[in-house]
Amino acid sequence: MKHLHSGKVRDLYETPDGLLLMVASDRISAFDYVLEPGIPDKGEILTRLSLWWFEQLKDVVPNHVVSTDVPAEFAGRGVLCRRLRMVPVECVARGYLTGSGLVDYRREGVVSGVRLPEGLTDGSRLPEPIFTPSSKAPMGEHDEPMTYEEVAAEVGEDVAERLRRITLDVYSRGAEIALERGIILADTKIELGWDADGVLTLGDEVLTPDSSRFWPLDQWEPGRSQPSFDKQFVRDWLLSPESGWDRSSGEAPPPLPDEIVERTRSRYVEAYERLTGERFRG
């Protein structure tokens, strides 16, 4: 197989018959840095969880998966996929206010061109889920928020409307299923592309702790940073005095302590088990 690309988390290969082999590693990224060390079993958790979600979403949007019959060295972490011509936009849906959306809201009351009511705080539930796309920046650079109108100018009004509809439909289905399991889906990012027949298709990963924010429902309390099942735990540690890292310094973050690595793994495992109802045996 031909190695095509290595991203922050995934490695991509081309098979002799023209399919793509996507392999999820145990690497973890935050603030556009790949951190050391990785999180044990993370690649397998992401892959298995995405496959489970693809099945839950098959009546909402088609996906790129062809087979999980991959070479033994990639078993559990690799998926054979169809090639897609990726949309040049990060498709994001938010049902709750936090993260970069909260920063934008506090500055001007608007997130990706969508004006929100006054008085919202960290963790507030939005009146309805909103589509908050962003640009796809090269690795090492920051994605920039886009308005719906900017997306329409980039890809056309018809495609922009389909991107918004699919993104919100994926979020709504995911939020409904997660809530049944005592988990809030605060927001999520999906990747869409056109297949060989021109059909918009779901690619990469979907509704994982890397692409989404998951909060325990019984601990949700607007007005503070929420406990989470995702890598927000790592972000919070990096920004804490304990890490000693100055984000504005331009220097790479320090290595993650063993305790942070193990607690992060535990949160990924718990997210997988609570969402799927399956026991994870790494």
Side-chain angles (χ1 to χ4, degrees), residues 2-66:
K2 178 183 178 183
H3 176 255
L4 298 178
H5 176 72
S6 288
K8 295 173 186 172
V9 173
R10 286 172 175 75
D11 301 309
L12 199 62
Y13 302 84
E14 183 180 34
T15 67
D17 56 0
L19 294 175
L20 297 179
L21 172 62
M22 188 174 67
V23 180
S25 73
D26 290 342
R27 298 189 295 271
I28 188 167
S29 67
F31 303 117
D32 295 312
Y33 290 96
V34 176
L35 308 176
E36 295 288 346
I39 308 299
D41 297 317
K42 176 174 172 285
E44 185 171 352
I45 293 169
L46 295 183
T47 300
R48 287 168 57 175
L49 186 55
S50 282
L51 290 169
W52 186 84
W53 277 116
F54 282 137
E55 183 66 20
Q56 314 308 309
L57 296 164
K58 63 184 181 182
D59 63 326
V60 175
V61 57
N63 64 74
H64 66 162
V65 175
V66 174

Side-chain angles (χ1 to χ4, degrees), residues 46-98:
L46 295 183
T47 300
R48 287 168 57 175
L49 186 55
S50 282
L51 290 169
W52 186 84
W53 277 116
F54 282 137
E55 183 66 20
Q56 314 308 309
L57 296 164
K58 63 184 181 182
D59 63 326
V60 175
V61 57
N63 64 74
H64 66 162
V65 175
V66 174
S67 171
T68 56
D69 184 13
V70 299
E73 64 187 290
F74 301 130
R77 301 184 296 117
V79 179
L80 288 170
C81 309
R82 291 177 287 153
R83 282 184 176 272
L84 301 178
R85 181 168 58 87
M86 302 310 295
V87 173
V89 173
E90 299 277 9
C91 294
V92 180
R94 301 176 190 269
Y96 294 76
L97 188 62
T98 194

